[in-house]
Amino acid sequence: LNDPPATFAMTFNEPATLTLLTLQKDGEAPQKIAAPDKAATEVNVAAPKLSAGSYTLNFKALSADNHVVSGRIHFKVAR
């Protein structure tokens, strides 16, 4: 990405509640990000201010049928 994102957007197949959301810049400790506590298929979370570098966004979500979904998104910010 040329510029840092303003938000992180995730889409789920069925309503899910984020139970964990962290952002980690390479070489640094992960930081927790506040996530909505309501189940939704579309989740948008404001991104903190980010400097140039490589990041990993980690998430865990609990779906409406009690399945745990987890994942990570890797991205780079150029400036």
Side-chain angles (χ1 to χ4, degrees):
L1 304 172
N2 286 328
D3 296 311
T7 59
F8 298 121
M10 288 171 267
T11 302
F12 300 100
N13 292 335
E14 59 185 61
T17 303
L18 286 175
T19 58
L20 177 68
L21 187 62
T22 64
L23 182 65
Q24 184 173 12
K25 185 175 183 180
D26 281 359
E28 296 182 8
Q31 69 178 42
K32 288 186 180 180
I33 297 178
D37 59 358
K38 293 184 179 179
T41 55
E42 300 279 333
V43 178
N44 293 292
V45 178
K49 286 189 174 185
L50 303 176
S51 58
S54 296
Y55 293 86
T56 302
L57 182 69
N58 295 291
F59 67 90
K60 284 188 181 179
L62 181 64
S63 69
D65 63 358
N66 290 323
H67 284 98
V68 175
V69 178
S70 63
R72 60 182 57 166
I73 302 165
H74 301 279
F75 64 96
K76 289 183 182 182
V77 175
R79 49 182 155 160

